[in-house]
Short mmCIF file of all heavy atoms in Angstrom, two decimals:
data_model
loop_
_atom_site.label_atom_id
_atom_site.label_comp_id
_atom_site.label_asym_id
_atom_site.label_seq_id
_atom_site.Cartn_x
_atom_site.Cartn_y
_atom_site.Cartn_z
N ALA A 294 114.45 123.87 85.32
CA ALA A 294 114.27 122.81 86.29
C ALA A 294 113.29 123.24 87.39
O ALA A 294 112.39 122.49 87.80
CB ALA A 294 115.60 122.42 86.91
N VAL A 295 113.45 124.46 87.90
CA VAL A 295 112.61 124.93 88.96
C VAL A 295 111.16 125.13 88.46
O VAL A 295 110.22 124.70 89.12
CB VAL A 295 113.15 126.26 89.58
CG1 VAL A 295 112.12 126.89 90.50
CG2 VAL A 295 114.46 126.02 90.27
N GLN A 296 111.03 125.72 87.30
CA GLN A 296 109.71 125.94 86.77
C GLN A 296 109.02 124.58 86.43
O GLN A 296 107.77 124.45 86.64
CB GLN A 296 109.76 126.83 85.54
CG GLN A 296 110.14 128.25 85.85
CD GLN A 296 110.22 129.15 84.64
OE1 GLN A 296 110.29 128.67 83.53
NE2 GLN A 296 110.20 130.45 84.85
N GLY A 297 109.79 123.65 85.94
CA GLY A 297 109.20 122.32 85.65
C GLY A 297 108.75 121.66 86.93
O GLY A 297 107.69 121.03 86.97
N ALA A 298 109.56 121.77 87.99
CA ALA A 298 109.19 121.15 89.26
C ALA A 298 107.95 121.78 89.87
O ALA A 298 107.09 121.08 90.43
CB ALA A 298 110.36 121.30 90.27
N ALA A 299 107.80 123.12 89.66
CA ALA A 299 106.62 123.81 90.20
C ALA A 299 105.34 123.50 89.46
O ALA A 299 104.26 123.43 90.05
CB ALA A 299 106.90 125.30 90.23
N THR A 300 105.43 123.35 88.13
CA THR A 300 104.22 123.32 87.33
C THR A 300 103.87 121.92 86.80
O THR A 300 102.80 121.74 86.25
CB THR A 300 104.38 124.26 86.14
OG1 THR A 300 105.49 123.88 85.33
CG2 THR A 300 104.59 125.68 86.58
N SER A 301 104.76 120.97 86.94
CA SER A 301 104.54 119.66 86.29
C SER A 301 103.30 118.95 86.89
O SER A 301 102.71 118.14 86.17
CB SER A 301 105.78 118.77 86.44
OG SER A 301 106.03 118.51 87.82
N ARG A 302 102.94 119.26 88.08
CA ARG A 302 101.79 118.58 88.72
C ARG A 302 100.63 119.55 89.01
O ARG A 302 99.80 119.29 89.90
CB ARG A 302 102.27 117.92 90.03
CG ARG A 302 103.37 116.90 89.77
CD ARG A 302 103.90 116.28 91.06
NE ARG A 302 102.97 115.31 91.59
CZ ARG A 302 103.19 114.61 92.72
NH1 ARG A 302 104.32 114.75 93.39
NH2 ARG A 302 102.28 113.74 93.15
N LEU A 303 100.56 120.63 88.23
CA LEU A 303 99.47 121.58 88.41
C LEU A 303 98.10 120.94 88.25
O LEU A 303 97.20 121.21 89.03
CB LEU A 303 99.66 122.77 87.46
CG LEU A 303 100.37 124.00 88.02
CD1 LEU A 303 100.59 125.03 86.99
CD2 LEU A 303 99.56 124.58 89.20
N PRO A 304 97.84 120.18 87.20
CA PRO A 304 96.53 119.53 87.06
C PRO A 304 96.23 118.66 88.28
O PRO A 304 95.06 118.68 88.76
CB PRO A 304 96.65 118.69 85.79
CG PRO A 304 97.74 119.34 85.02
CD PRO A 304 98.72 119.83 86.02
N GLU A 305 97.18 117.95 88.76
CA GLU A 305 96.97 117.12 89.95
C GLU A 305 96.68 118.01 91.17
O GLU A 305 95.89 117.60 92.07
CB GLU A 305 98.22 116.26 90.19
CG GLU A 305 98.02 115.26 91.34
CD GLU A 305 99.27 114.41 91.53
OE1 GLU A 305 100.16 114.41 90.66
OE2 GLU A 305 99.33 113.76 92.60
N LEU A 306 97.29 119.15 91.26
CA LEU A 306 97.08 120.05 92.39
C LEU A 306 95.65 120.52 92.43
O LEU A 306 95.00 120.51 93.49
CB LEU A 306 98.03 121.23 92.31
CG LEU A 306 97.83 122.31 93.40
CD1 LEU A 306 98.10 121.71 94.79
CD2 LEU A 306 98.76 123.52 93.15
N GLY A 307 95.08 120.88 91.27
CA GLY A 307 93.70 121.34 91.21
C GLY A 307 92.77 120.22 91.63
O GLY A 307 91.81 120.46 92.48
N ASP A 308 92.93 119.01 91.15
CA ASP A 308 92.11 117.90 91.55
C ASP A 308 92.25 117.56 93.03
O ASP A 308 91.31 117.22 93.72
CB ASP A 308 92.43 116.66 90.70
CG ASP A 308 92.07 116.86 89.22
OD1 ASP A 308 91.25 117.78 88.94
OD2 ASP A 308 92.64 116.14 88.36
N ARG A 309 93.50 117.65 93.51
CA ARG A 309 93.80 117.35 94.91
C ARG A 309 93.04 118.35 95.83
O ARG A 309 92.48 117.94 96.87
CB ARG A 309 95.28 117.38 95.15
CG ARG A 309 95.75 117.36 96.60
CD ARG A 309 95.76 115.98 97.18
NE ARG A 309 96.42 116.06 98.52
CZ ARG A 309 97.72 115.86 98.73
NH1 ARG A 309 98.50 115.57 97.71
NH2 ARG A 309 98.21 115.93 99.97
N LEU A 310 93.08 119.56 95.45
CA LEU A 310 92.37 120.61 96.28
C LEU A 310 90.87 120.35 96.27
O LEU A 310 90.24 120.46 97.33
CB LEU A 310 92.69 122.02 95.75
CG LEU A 310 94.14 122.48 95.97
CD1 LEU A 310 94.34 123.82 95.25
CD2 LEU A 310 94.46 122.63 97.43
N ASP A 311 90.31 120.05 95.09
CA ASP A 311 88.91 119.72 95.05
C ASP A 311 88.56 118.57 96.00
O ASP A 311 87.60 118.62 96.76
CB ASP A 311 88.49 119.31 93.62
CG ASP A 311 88.27 120.52 92.75
OD1 ASP A 311 88.12 121.62 93.26
OD2 ASP A 311 88.28 120.36 91.48
N ARG A 312 89.41 117.55 95.98
CA ARG A 312 89.12 116.34 96.77
C ARG A 312 89.34 116.61 98.27
O ARG A 312 88.48 116.31 99.12
CB ARG A 312 90.00 115.21 96.32
CG ARG A 312 89.77 113.90 97.03
CD ARG A 312 90.69 112.78 96.56
NE ARG A 312 92.09 113.00 96.99
CZ ARG A 312 93.05 113.38 96.15
NH1 ARG A 312 92.78 113.53 94.87
NH2 ARG A 312 94.25 113.51 96.59
N ASP A 313 90.48 117.22 98.62
CA ASP A 313 90.80 117.38 100.04
C ASP A 313 89.97 118.42 100.71
O ASP A 313 89.59 118.29 101.88
CB ASP A 313 92.30 117.69 100.18
CG ASP A 313 93.19 116.51 99.86
OD1 ASP A 313 92.63 115.43 99.52
OD2 ASP A 313 94.43 116.62 99.88
N LEU A 314 89.73 119.51 100.00
CA LEU A 314 88.89 120.55 100.59
C LEU A 314 87.45 120.05 100.76
O LEU A 314 86.77 120.37 101.73
CB LEU A 314 88.89 121.85 99.74
CG LEU A 314 90.25 122.54 99.64
CD1 LEU A 314 90.09 123.82 98.84
CD2 LEU A 314 90.86 122.84 101.00
N GLY A 315 87.03 119.23 99.83
CA GLY A 315 85.69 118.66 99.96
C GLY A 315 85.59 117.69 101.09
O GLY A 315 84.49 117.47 101.66
N ALA A 316 86.70 116.99 101.41
CA ALA A 316 86.67 115.99 102.45
C ALA A 316 86.91 116.59 103.84
O ALA A 316 86.73 115.89 104.86
CB ALA A 316 87.73 114.90 102.19
N ALA A 317 87.27 117.85 103.90
CA ALA A 317 87.53 118.47 105.19
C ALA A 317 86.30 118.65 106.01
O ALA A 317 85.21 118.97 105.50
CB ALA A 317 88.21 119.86 104.96
N ASP A 318 86.38 118.34 107.31
CA ASP A 318 85.26 118.51 108.25
C ASP A 318 85.10 119.99 108.55
O ASP A 318 85.93 120.57 109.22
CB ASP A 318 85.50 117.70 109.47
CG ASP A 318 84.32 117.82 110.48
OD1 ASP A 318 83.28 118.39 110.09
OD2 ASP A 318 84.45 117.31 111.59
N LEU A 319 83.98 120.58 108.13
CA LEU A 319 83.77 122.03 108.30
C LEU A 319 82.96 122.33 109.60
O LEU A 319 82.65 123.50 109.90
CB LEU A 319 83.04 122.63 107.11
CG LEU A 319 83.76 122.46 105.76
CD1 LEU A 319 82.92 123.09 104.67
CD2 LEU A 319 85.13 123.01 105.81
N GLY A 320 82.57 121.29 110.31
CA GLY A 320 81.83 121.49 111.56
C GLY A 320 80.39 121.89 111.35
O GLY A 320 79.78 122.47 112.28
N LEU A 321 79.81 121.62 110.16
CA LEU A 321 78.46 122.06 109.87
C LEU A 321 77.43 120.94 110.21
O LEU A 321 76.21 121.19 110.24
CB LEU A 321 78.34 122.39 108.41
CG LEU A 321 78.98 123.67 107.94
CD1 LEU A 321 78.93 123.80 106.45
CD2 LEU A 321 78.35 124.89 108.60
N GLY A 322 77.89 119.74 110.48
CA GLY A 322 76.96 118.61 110.63
C GLY A 322 76.17 118.64 111.93
O GLY A 322 75.04 118.12 111.95
#
């Protein structure tokens, strides 16, 4: 149960990081 809870959304986690890190304001503008 614990391992399933941790890993069931791994693909979504990778995509989420790509999206959210890309949208973060890095102060370069």
Side-chain angles (χ1 to χ4, degrees):
V295 171
Q296 291 179 342
T300 60
S301 63
R302 301 177 74 180
L303 264 176
E305 185 180 347
L306 177 61
D308 294 340
R309 167 82 171 267
L310 290 173
D311 279 343
R312 183 180 71 252
D313 290 359
L314 295 185
D318 181 7
L319 302 180
L321 290 172

